[in-house]
mmCIF file of all heavy atoms in Angstrom:
data_model
loop_
_atom_site.group_PDB
_atom_site.id
_atom_site.type_symbol
_atom_site.label_atom_id
_atom_site.label_comp_id
_atom_site.label_asym_id
_atom_site.label_seq_id
_atom_site.Cartn_x
_atom_site.Cartn_y
_atom_site.Cartn_z
ATOM 1 N N PRO A 1 287.433 315.237 52.341
ATOM 2 C CA PRO A 1 288.437 316.278 52.774
ATOM 3 C C PRO A 1 289.835 315.719 52.978
ATOM 4 O O PRO A 1 289.989 314.467 53.200
ATOM 5 C CB PRO A 1 287.870 316.695 54.138
ATOM 6 C CG PRO A 1 287.037 315.586 54.637
ATOM 7 C CD PRO A 1 286.539 314.963 53.408
ATOM 8 N N ASN A 2 290.882 316.492 52.737
ATOM 9 C CA ASN A 2 292.202 316.011 52.955
ATOM 10 C C ASN A 2 292.869 316.870 54.144
ATOM 11 O O ASN A 2 292.077 317.544 54.808
ATOM 12 C CB ASN A 2 293.068 316.169 51.640
ATOM 13 C CG ASN A 2 293.150 317.578 51.128
ATOM 14 O OD1 ASN A 2 293.009 318.523 51.884
ATOM 15 N ND2 ASN A 2 293.419 317.726 49.839
ATOM 16 N N GLY A 3 294.140 316.810 54.281
ATOM 17 C CA GLY A 3 294.895 317.440 55.392
ATOM 18 C C GLY A 3 294.653 319.038 55.447
ATOM 19 O O GLY A 3 294.773 319.564 56.571
ATOM 20 N N TRP A 4 294.440 319.624 54.307
ATOM 21 C CA TRP A 4 294.300 321.105 54.256
ATOM 22 C C TRP A 4 292.974 321.541 54.862
ATOM 23 O O TRP A 4 292.731 322.726 54.967
ATOM 24 C CB TRP A 4 294.419 321.548 52.768
ATOM 25 C CG TRP A 4 295.861 321.464 52.284
ATOM 26 C CD1 TRP A 4 296.303 320.482 51.431
ATOM 27 C CD2 TRP A 4 296.924 322.285 52.600
ATOM 28 N NE1 TRP A 4 297.619 320.718 51.146
ATOM 29 C CE2 TRP A 4 297.965 321.862 51.871
ATOM 30 C CE3 TRP A 4 297.105 323.396 53.393
ATOM 31 C CZ2 TRP A 4 299.297 322.422 51.858
ATOM 32 C CZ3 TRP A 4 298.291 324.023 53.450
ATOM 33 C CH2 TRP A 4 299.437 323.516 52.725
ATOM 34 N N VAL A 5 292.081 320.664 55.172
ATOM 35 C CA VAL A 5 290.781 321.010 55.722
ATOM 36 C C VAL A 5 290.928 321.768 57.060
ATOM 37 O O VAL A 5 290.015 322.441 57.495
ATOM 38 C CB VAL A 5 289.838 319.697 55.801
ATOM 39 C CG1 VAL A 5 290.247 318.951 57.033
ATOM 40 C CG2 VAL A 5 288.333 320.172 55.849
ATOM 41 N N ALA A 6 292.019 321.583 57.707
ATOM 42 C CA ALA A 6 292.325 322.287 59.000
ATOM 43 C C ALA A 6 292.289 323.860 58.838
ATOM 44 O O ALA A 6 292.051 324.597 59.770
ATOM 45 C CB ALA A 6 293.605 321.859 59.632
ATOM 46 N N LEU A 7 292.490 324.250 57.580
ATOM 47 C CA LEU A 7 292.571 325.758 57.415
ATOM 48 C C LEU A 7 291.202 326.273 57.055
ATOM 49 O O LEU A 7 290.983 327.476 56.889
ATOM 50 C CB LEU A 7 293.496 326.141 56.254
ATOM 51 C CG LEU A 7 294.927 325.814 56.533
ATOM 52 C CD1 LEU A 7 295.816 326.106 55.302
ATOM 53 C CD2 LEU A 7 295.523 326.627 57.675
ATOM 54 N N THR A 8 290.149 325.513 56.894
ATOM 55 C CA THR A 8 288.862 325.982 56.537
ATOM 56 C C THR A 8 288.149 326.805 57.567
ATOM 57 O O THR A 8 287.274 327.691 57.136
ATOM 58 C CB THR A 8 287.879 324.811 56.139
ATOM 59 O OG1 THR A 8 287.745 323.902 57.207
ATOM 60 C CG2 THR A 8 288.398 324.108 54.902
ATOM 61 N N PRO A 9 288.422 326.770 58.866
ATOM 62 C CA PRO A 9 287.854 327.765 59.746
ATOM 63 C C PRO A 9 288.270 329.242 59.461
ATOM 64 O O PRO A 9 287.453 330.156 59.697
ATOM 65 C CB PRO A 9 288.331 327.369 61.198
ATOM 66 C CG PRO A 9 288.556 325.909 61.047
ATOM 67 C CD PRO A 9 289.109 325.781 59.628
ATOM 68 N N LEU A 10 289.366 329.338 58.787
ATOM 69 C CA LEU A 10 289.747 330.657 58.389
ATOM 70 C C LEU A 10 289.025 330.920 57.035
ATOM 71 O O LEU A 10 289.045 330.103 56.017
ATOM 72 C CB LEU A 10 291.277 330.789 58.184
ATOM 73 C CG LEU A 10 292.086 330.430 59.375
ATOM 74 C CD1 LEU A 10 293.572 330.383 59.039
ATOM 75 C CD2 LEU A 10 291.846 331.460 60.537
ATOM 76 N N LEU A 11 288.343 331.965 56.863
ATOM 77 C CA LEU A 11 287.498 332.190 55.749
ATOM 78 C C LEU A 11 288.326 332.366 54.356
ATOM 79 O O LEU A 11 288.015 331.740 53.321
ATOM 80 C CB LEU A 11 286.629 333.478 55.879
ATOM 81 C CG LEU A 11 285.628 333.718 54.792
ATOM 82 C CD1 LEU A 11 284.685 332.504 54.677
ATOM 83 C CD2 LEU A 11 284.838 334.957 55.088
ATOM 84 N N LEU A 12 289.357 333.112 54.411
ATOM 85 C CA LEU A 12 290.149 333.398 53.077
ATOM 86 C C LEU A 12 290.785 332.214 52.541
ATOM 87 O O LEU A 12 290.671 331.964 51.332
ATOM 88 C CB LEU A 12 291.163 334.553 53.360
ATOM 89 C CG LEU A 12 291.682 335.180 52.128
ATOM 90 C CD1 LEU A 12 290.582 335.736 51.176
ATOM 91 C CD2 LEU A 12 292.683 336.186 52.487
ATOM 92 N N PRO A 13 291.476 331.313 53.325
ATOM 93 C CA PRO A 13 292.106 330.111 52.751
ATOM 94 C C PRO A 13 291.032 329.183 52.171
ATOM 95 O O PRO A 13 291.443 328.346 51.258
ATOM 96 C CB PRO A 13 292.813 329.460 53.900
ATOM 97 C CG PRO A 13 293.101 330.541 54.802
ATOM 98 C CD PRO A 13 291.908 331.468 54.647
ATOM 99 N N THR A 14 289.852 329.190 52.561
ATOM 100 C CA THR A 14 288.810 328.340 52.018
ATOM 101 C C THR A 14 288.648 328.450 50.468
ATOM 102 O O THR A 14 288.418 327.462 49.797
ATOM 103 C CB THR A 14 287.439 328.629 52.682
ATOM 104 O OG1 THR A 14 287.577 328.508 54.095
ATOM 105 C CG2 THR A 14 286.354 327.662 52.138
ATOM 106 N N PHE A 15 288.847 329.633 49.929
ATOM 107 C CA PHE A 15 288.734 329.886 48.527
ATOM 108 C C PHE A 15 289.985 329.610 47.748
ATOM 109 O O PHE A 15 289.936 329.419 46.559
ATOM 110 C CB PHE A 15 288.300 331.338 48.364
ATOM 111 C CG PHE A 15 286.997 331.648 48.903
ATOM 112 C CD1 PHE A 15 286.885 332.456 50.021
ATOM 113 C CD2 PHE A 15 285.750 331.116 48.355
ATOM 114 C CE1 PHE A 15 285.614 332.752 50.530
ATOM 115 C CE2 PHE A 15 284.574 331.383 48.838
ATOM 116 C CZ PHE A 15 284.444 332.242 50.021
ATOM 117 N N PHE A 16 291.137 329.390 48.359
ATOM 118 C CA PHE A 16 292.374 329.261 47.674
ATOM 119 C C PHE A 16 293.168 327.989 47.919
ATOM 120 O O PHE A 16 293.988 327.590 47.233
ATOM 121 C CB PHE A 16 293.294 330.434 47.945
ATOM 122 C CG PHE A 16 292.742 331.776 47.565
ATOM 123 C CD1 PHE A 16 292.250 332.648 48.605
ATOM 124 C CD2 PHE A 16 292.619 332.150 46.240
ATOM 125 C CE1 PHE A 16 291.616 333.854 48.200
ATOM 126 C CE2 PHE A 16 291.942 333.403 45.932
ATOM 127 C CZ PHE A 16 291.533 334.215 46.919
ATOM 128 N N VAL A 17 292.863 327.345 49.059
ATOM 129 C CA VAL A 17 293.622 326.110 49.524
ATOM 130 C C VAL A 17 292.826 324.921 49.025
ATOM 131 O O VAL A 17 291.646 324.744 49.138
ATOM 132 C CB VAL A 17 293.747 326.129 51.010
ATOM 133 C CG1 VAL A 17 294.389 324.768 51.366
ATOM 134 C CG2 VAL A 17 294.586 327.274 51.512
ATOM 135 N N PRO A 18 293.567 323.934 48.240
ATOM 136 C CA PRO A 18 292.883 322.744 47.785
ATOM 137 C C PRO A 18 292.721 321.697 48.920
ATOM 138 O O PRO A 18 293.499 320.823 49.147
ATOM 139 C CB PRO A 18 293.876 322.228 46.737
ATOM 140 C CG PRO A 18 295.149 322.733 47.183
ATOM 141 C CD PRO A 18 294.994 324.032 47.864
ATOM 142 N N PHE A 19 291.548 321.820 49.582
ATOM 143 C CA PHE A 19 291.251 321.055 50.730
ATOM 144 C C PHE A 19 290.304 319.837 50.486
ATOM 145 O O PHE A 19 289.937 319.135 51.348
ATOM 146 C CB PHE A 19 290.741 321.827 51.945
ATOM 147 C CG PHE A 19 289.436 322.437 51.729
ATOM 148 C CD1 PHE A 19 288.290 321.810 52.129
ATOM 149 C CD2 PHE A 19 289.254 323.649 51.072
ATOM 150 C CE1 PHE A 19 287.101 322.297 51.937
ATOM 151 C CE2 PHE A 19 288.046 324.242 50.865
ATOM 152 C CZ PHE A 19 286.882 323.575 51.315
ATOM 153 N N LEU A 20 289.956 319.607 49.207
ATOM 154 C CA LEU A 20 289.048 318.558 48.839
ATOM 155 C C LEU A 20 289.699 317.665 47.856
ATOM 156 O O LEU A 20 290.311 318.071 46.935
ATOM 157 C CB LEU A 20 287.677 319.174 48.247
ATOM 158 C CG LEU A 20 286.835 319.997 49.198
ATOM 159 C CD1 LEU A 20 285.693 320.553 48.334
ATOM 160 C CD2 LEU A 20 286.329 319.179 50.303
ATOM 161 N N ASP A 21 289.512 316.336 48.031
ATOM 162 C CA ASP A 21 289.912 315.316 47.034
ATOM 163 C C ASP A 21 288.672 314.941 46.335
ATOM 164 O O ASP A 21 287.670 314.487 46.989
ATOM 165 C CB ASP A 21 290.614 314.153 47.702
ATOM 166 C CG ASP A 21 291.931 314.507 48.305
ATOM 167 O OD1 ASP A 21 292.554 315.476 47.807
ATOM 168 O OD2 ASP A 21 292.385 313.810 49.247
ATOM 169 N N LYS A 22 288.641 314.984 44.956
ATOM 170 C CA LYS A 22 287.444 314.633 44.199
ATOM 171 C C LYS A 22 287.776 313.413 43.318
ATOM 172 O O LYS A 22 288.907 313.331 42.825
ATOM 173 C CB LYS A 22 286.972 315.808 43.291
ATOM 174 C CG LYS A 22 286.337 316.806 44.100
ATOM 175 C CD LYS A 22 285.685 317.887 43.165
ATOM 176 C CE LYS A 22 284.864 318.901 44.046
ATOM 177 N NZ LYS A 22 284.225 319.888 43.229
ATOM 178 N N LYS A 23 286.741 312.592 43.160
ATOM 179 C CA LYS A 23 286.892 311.418 42.314
ATOM 180 C C LYS A 23 285.612 311.238 41.604
ATOM 181 O O LYS A 23 284.503 311.340 42.180
ATOM 182 C CB LYS A 23 287.163 310.163 43.066
ATOM 183 C CG LYS A 23 287.376 308.917 42.354
ATOM 184 C CD LYS A 23 287.833 307.806 43.209
ATOM 185 C CE LYS A 23 286.914 307.414 44.258
ATOM 186 N NZ LYS A 23 287.153 306.203 44.957
ATOM 187 N N ILE A 24 285.669 310.986 40.265
ATOM 188 C CA ILE A 24 284.453 310.904 39.445
ATOM 189 C C ILE A 24 284.352 309.388 39.024
ATOM 190 O O ILE A 24 285.352 308.862 38.468
ATOM 191 C CB ILE A 24 284.416 311.787 38.228
ATOM 192 C CG1 ILE A 24 284.489 313.207 38.677
ATOM 193 C CG2 ILE A 24 283.316 311.482 37.309
ATOM 194 C CD1 ILE A 24 284.489 314.272 37.596
ATOM 195 N N GLU A 25 283.217 308.763 39.093
ATOM 196 C CA GLU A 25 282.915 307.457 38.533
ATOM 197 C C GLU A 25 281.761 307.597 37.667
ATOM 198 O O GLU A 25 280.648 307.990 38.076
ATOM 199 C CB GLU A 25 282.695 306.513 39.728
ATOM 200 C CG GLU A 25 283.740 306.354 40.708
ATOM 201 C CD GLU A 25 283.412 305.373 41.816
ATOM 202 O OE1 GLU A 25 282.346 304.709 41.769
ATOM 203 O OE2 GLU A 25 284.251 305.296 42.692
ATOM 204 N N SER A 26 281.931 307.090 36.410
ATOM 205 C CA SER A 26 280.856 307.139 35.459
ATOM 206 C C SER A 26 280.614 305.776 34.915
ATOM 207 O O SER A 26 281.575 304.955 34.804
ATOM 208 C CB SER A 26 281.282 308.097 34.273
ATOM 209 O OG SER A 26 281.434 309.395 34.676
ATOM 210 N N TYR A 27 279.424 305.458 34.530
ATOM 211 C CA TYR A 27 279.150 304.072 33.937
ATOM 212 C C TYR A 27 278.078 304.216 32.821
ATOM 213 O O TYR A 27 277.317 305.190 32.737
ATOM 214 C CB TYR A 27 278.536 303.205 34.990
ATOM 215 C CG TYR A 27 277.124 303.471 35.436
ATOM 216 C CD1 TYR A 27 276.146 302.905 34.820
ATOM 217 C CD2 TYR A 27 276.947 304.283 36.463
ATOM 218 C CE1 TYR A 27 274.799 303.230 35.208
ATOM 219 C CE2 TYR A 27 275.656 304.604 36.974
ATOM 220 C CZ TYR A 27 274.565 304.078 36.223
ATOM 221 O OH TYR A 27 273.288 304.373 36.663
ATOM 222 N N LEU A 28 278.124 303.285 31.943
ATOM 223 C CA LEU A 28 277.140 303.187 30.881
ATOM 224 C C LEU A 28 276.866 301.727 30.625
ATOM 225 O O LEU A 28 277.739 300.901 30.276
ATOM 226 C CB LEU A 28 277.724 303.812 29.570
ATOM 227 C CG LEU A 28 276.797 303.670 28.303
ATOM 228 C CD1 LEU A 28 275.516 304.456 28.532
ATOM 229 C CD2 LEU A 28 277.523 304.190 27.096
ATOM 230 N N ASP A 29 275.585 301.337 30.925
ATOM 231 C CA ASP A 29 275.109 299.919 30.667
ATOM 232 C C ASP A 29 274.372 299.962 29.431
ATOM 233 O O ASP A 29 273.477 300.762 29.264
ATOM 234 C CB ASP A 29 274.342 299.375 31.839
ATOM 235 C CG ASP A 29 275.153 299.073 32.988
ATOM 236 O OD1 ASP A 29 276.317 298.639 32.792
ATOM 237 O OD2 ASP A 29 274.686 299.160 34.136
ATOM 238 N N THR A 30 274.560 298.994 28.451
ATOM 239 C CA THR A 30 273.773 298.968 27.252
ATOM 240 C C THR A 30 273.289 297.562 27.142
ATOM 241 O O THR A 30 273.957 296.587 27.315
ATOM 242 C CB THR A 30 274.749 299.235 26.054
ATOM 243 O OG1 THR A 30 275.371 300.485 26.271
ATOM 244 C CG2 THR A 30 274.049 299.270 24.768
ATOM 245 N N TYR A 31 271.989 297.441 26.841
ATOM 246 C CA TYR A 31 271.296 296.168 26.658
ATOM 247 C C TYR A 31 270.678 296.085 25.218
ATOM 248 O O TYR A 31 270.030 297.024 24.776
ATOM 249 C CB TYR A 31 270.136 296.060 27.601
ATOM 250 C CG TYR A 31 270.499 296.241 29.102
ATOM 251 C CD1 TYR A 31 270.492 297.443 29.727
ATOM 252 C CD2 TYR A 31 270.958 295.150 29.833
ATOM 253 C CE1 TYR A 31 270.892 297.661 31.042
ATOM 254 C CE2 TYR A 31 271.358 295.308 31.150
ATOM 255 C CZ TYR A 31 271.279 296.576 31.742
ATOM 256 O OH TYR A 31 271.682 296.706 33.000
ATOM 257 N N VAL A 32 270.948 294.997 24.530
ATOM 258 C CA VAL A 32 270.435 294.722 23.271
ATOM 259 C C VAL A 32 269.495 293.595 23.396
ATOM 260 O O VAL A 32 269.913 292.454 23.733
ATOM 261 C CB VAL A 32 271.543 294.345 22.205
ATOM 262 C CG1 VAL A 32 271.015 294.176 20.859
ATOM 263 C CG2 VAL A 32 272.645 295.519 22.174
ATOM 264 N N ILE A 33 268.188 293.809 23.193
ATOM 265 C CA ILE A 33 267.166 292.827 23.466
ATOM 266 C C ILE A 33 266.410 292.582 22.165
ATOM 267 O O ILE A 33 265.967 293.525 21.504
ATOM 268 C CB ILE A 33 266.177 293.388 24.514
ATOM 269 C CG1 ILE A 33 267.058 293.654 25.839
ATOM 270 C CG2 ILE A 33 265.095 292.396 24.762
ATOM 271 C CD1 ILE A 33 266.258 294.387 26.862
ATOM 272 N N ASP A 34 266.094 291.305 21.857
ATOM 273 C CA ASP A 34 265.239 290.917 20.743
ATOM 274 C C ASP A 34 263.782 291.310 21.069
ATOM 275 O O ASP A 34 263.336 290.943 22.210
ATOM 276 C CB ASP A 34 265.377 289.431 20.555
ATOM 277 C CG ASP A 34 264.699 289.023 19.250
ATOM 278 O OD1 ASP A 34 263.716 289.576 18.827
ATOM 279 O OD2 ASP A 34 265.257 288.073 18.586
ATOM 280 N N THR A 35 263.063 291.930 20.182
ATOM 281 C CA THR A 35 261.748 292.406 20.452
ATOM 282 C C THR A 35 260.722 291.188 20.343
ATOM 283 O O THR A 35 259.663 291.239 20.933
ATOM 284 C CB THR A 35 261.321 293.448 19.552
ATOM 285 O OG1 THR A 35 261.433 293.026 18.188
ATOM 286 C CG2 THR A 35 262.189 294.698 19.755
ATOM 287 N N ARG A 36 261.030 290.189 19.678
ATOM 288 C CA ARG A 36 260.095 289.126 19.453
ATOM 289 C C ARG A 36 260.007 288.170 20.571
ATOM 290 O O ARG A 36 258.881 287.718 21.005
ATOM 291 C CB ARG A 36 260.436 288.331 18.198
ATOM 292 C CG ARG A 36 260.252 289.160 16.925
ATOM 293 C CD ARG A 36 260.758 288.477 15.656
ATOM 294 N NE ARG A 36 262.208 288.075 15.814
ATOM 295 C CZ ARG A 36 263.174 288.868 15.601
ATOM 296 N NH1 ARG A 36 262.927 290.119 15.231
ATOM 297 N NH2 ARG A 36 264.493 288.475 15.624
ATOM 298 N N ASN A 37 261.128 287.763 21.198
ATOM 299 C CA ASN A 37 261.045 286.808 22.253
ATOM 300 C C ASN A 37 261.685 287.254 23.505
ATOM 301 O O ASN A 37 261.780 286.566 24.504
ATOM 302 C CB ASN A 37 261.765 285.519 21.786
ATOM 303 C CG ASN A 37 263.209 285.769 21.346
ATOM 304 O OD1 ASN A 37 263.741 286.760 21.532
ATOM 305 N ND2 ASN A 37 263.767 284.754 20.641
ATOM 306 N N GLY A 38 262.233 288.456 23.590
ATOM 307 C CA GLY A 38 262.836 288.997 24.830
ATOM 308 C C GLY A 38 264.217 288.507 25.066
ATOM 309 O O GLY A 38 264.745 288.753 26.201
ATOM 310 N N PHE A 39 264.842 287.787 24.114
ATOM 311 C CA PHE A 39 266.201 287.315 24.330
ATOM 312 C C PHE A 39 267.222 288.478 24.484
ATOM 313 O O PHE A 39 267.210 289.383 23.660
ATOM 314 C CB PHE A 39 266.514 286.428 23.114
ATOM 315 C CG PHE A 39 267.963 285.814 23.240
ATOM 316 C CD1 PHE A 39 268.235 284.766 24.045
ATOM 317 C CD2 PHE A 39 268.977 286.295 22.417
ATOM 318 C CE1 PHE A 39 269.413 284.255 24.182
ATOM 319 C CE2 PHE A 39 270.241 285.776 22.564
ATOM 320 C CZ PHE A 39 270.456 284.752 23.426
ATOM 321 N N LEU A 40 268.049 288.387 25.440
ATOM 322 C CA LEU A 40 269.117 289.394 25.635
ATOM 323 C C LEU A 40 270.338 289.081 24.850
ATOM 324 O O LEU A 40 270.985 288.147 25.156
ATOM 325 C CB LEU A 40 269.507 289.475 27.205
ATOM 326 C CG LEU A 40 270.581 290.520 27.539
ATOM 327 C CD1 LEU A 40 270.172 291.948 27.241
ATOM 328 C CD2 LEU A 40 270.882 290.276 28.966
ATOM 329 N N TYR A 41 270.509 289.761 23.737
ATOM 330 C CA TYR A 41 271.697 289.530 22.853
ATOM 331 C C TYR A 41 272.925 289.953 23.541
ATOM 332 O O TYR A 41 274.045 289.230 23.400
ATOM 333 C CB TYR A 41 271.563 290.133 21.536
ATOM 334 C CG TYR A 41 270.606 289.527 20.611
ATOM 335 C CD1 TYR A 41 269.514 290.214 20.058
ATOM 336 C CD2 TYR A 41 270.669 288.237 20.250
ATOM 337 C CE1 TYR A 41 268.640 289.641 19.137
ATOM 338 C CE2 TYR A 41 269.864 287.615 19.351
ATOM 339 C CZ TYR A 41 268.689 288.337 18.851
ATOM 340 O OH TYR A 41 267.905 287.762 18.046
ATOM 341 N N ALA A 42 272.963 291.022 24.195
ATOM 342 C CA ALA A 42 274.201 291.601 24.746
ATOM 343 C C ALA A 42 273.896 292.569 25.875
ATOM 344 O O ALA A 42 272.979 293.167 25.950
ATOM 345 C CB ALA A 42 275.047 292.257 23.659
ATOM 346 N N HIS A 43 274.842 292.431 26.813
ATOM 347 C CA HIS A 43 274.882 293.439 27.923
ATOM 348 C C HIS A 43 276.289 293.994 27.988
ATOM 349 O O HIS A 43 277.247 293.359 28.302
ATOM 350 C CB HIS A 43 274.501 292.901 29.304
ATOM 351 C CG HIS A 43 274.713 293.809 30.352
ATOM 352 N ND1 HIS A 43 275.392 293.423 31.571
ATOM 353 C CD2 HIS A 43 274.392 295.150 30.606
ATOM 354 C CE1 HIS A 43 275.481 294.447 32.361
ATOM 355 N NE2 HIS A 43 274.807 295.477 31.815
ATOM 356 N N ILE A 44 276.474 295.287 27.581
ATOM 357 C CA ILE A 44 277.762 295.957 27.607
ATOM 358 C C ILE A 44 277.873 296.849 28.793
ATOM 359 O O ILE A 44 277.004 297.827 28.859
ATOM 360 C CB ILE A 44 277.908 296.671 26.263
ATOM 361 C CG1 ILE A 44 277.808 295.699 25.113
ATOM 362 C CG2 ILE A 44 279.310 297.308 26.244
ATOM 363 C CD1 ILE A 44 277.770 296.392 23.796
ATOM 364 N N ALA A 45 278.792 296.629 29.661
ATOM 365 C CA ALA A 45 279.017 297.475 30.758
ATOM 366 C C ALA A 45 280.386 298.188 30.640
ATOM 367 O O ALA A 45 281.393 297.517 30.529
ATOM 368 C CB ALA A 45 278.965 296.677 32.028
ATOM 369 N N SER A 46 280.251 299.562 30.671
ATOM 370 C CA SER A 46 281.526 300.255 30.496
ATOM 371 C C SER A 46 281.575 301.274 31.685
ATOM 372 O O SER A 46 280.555 301.813 32.098
ATOM 373 C CB SER A 46 281.532 301.112 29.218
ATOM 374 O OG SER A 46 281.496 300.297 28.093
#
């Protein structure tokens, strides 16, 4: 919540006032593994 959250007890401003701050974090881990000996060729973290 940000400072506008003070208006949320009033029902109507809840739908129109931007009272939430949102942040998205995404990740992708990739592992390349040799099937014969289990050697980890690469680990790519994005």
Side-chain angles (χ1 to χ4, degrees):
N2 60 23
W4 290 103
V5 76
L7 295 177
T8 57
L10 305 172
L11 185 58
L12 194 58
T14 303
F15 297 107
F16 301 107
V17 175
F19 66 94
L20 296 173
D21 290 334
K22 287 190 178 181
K23 181 172 60 170
I24 296 177
E25 297 178 11
S26 300
Y27 72 89
L28 177 63
D29 285 331
T30 306
Y31 302 93
V32 181
I33 302 171
D34 191 327
T35 58
R36 294 171 301 279
N37 57 14
F39 180 75
L40 177 66
Y41 283 125
H43 171 227
I44 303 170
S46 302

